[in-house]
Amino acid sequence: MGKARILVVDDDETFRGLLCRELSRRGYQPTPSEGVRAAILLVGREEFDVALVDLRMPDGDGLEVVRATRAASPRTEVIVLTGHGSIDTAVDAMRAGAT
């Protein structure tokens, strides 16, 4: 079995880079994406084992990425990361298909 492919979607370049470097160091194969639009294009043409998705980004809502990932690849586990969470956003993320 190969390295797990992980999509990392976050508009914060520093955090995204740090997370990708750490995932690589631990033996995973991360693919960075700086926003919603770019991530939706990626999930439409590539398959990922896991998607780590920021909730709030300048070009849209991370839940759009969750829905697009679920539609394109139902077996991909999607985890929503946010510094702006609430019970309502957690419920919305889970209803959209996030873990």
Side-chain angles (χ1 to χ4, degrees):
M1 185 172 197
K3 296 179 178 181
R5 299 203 54 207
I6 301 176
L7 176 63
V8 178
V9 186
D10 200 301
D11 61 306
D12 183 323
E13 184 177 353
T14 302
F15 179 72
R16 186 177 66 244
L18 175 68
L19 190 51
C20 285
R21 282 189 302 278
E22 188 61 26
L23 289 167
S24 289
R25 190 177 75 76
R26 293 178 182 259
Y28 299 103
Q29 184 181 349
T31 299
S33 178
E34 73 281 354
V36 171
R37 287 187 208 109
I40 289 172
L41 289 173
L42 281 168
V43 299
R45 65 177 189 244
E46 296 182 41
E47 191 167 323
F48 297 94
D49 299 296
V50 177
L52 302 174
V53 182
D54 187 14
L55 188 59
R56 291 187 184 174
M57 290 175 276
D59 69 334
D61 186 333
L63 294 181
E64 294 175 56
V65 178
V66 174
R67 287 188 279 276
T69 303
R70 281 283 164 241
S73 179
R75 294 189 323 202
T76 300
E77 292 293 334
V78 182
I79 300 169
V80 173
L81 307 171
T82 185
H84 307 280
S86 70
I87 298 295
D88 290 338
T89 57
V91 170
D92 289 344
M94 288 175 20
R95 283 185 178 146
T99 300

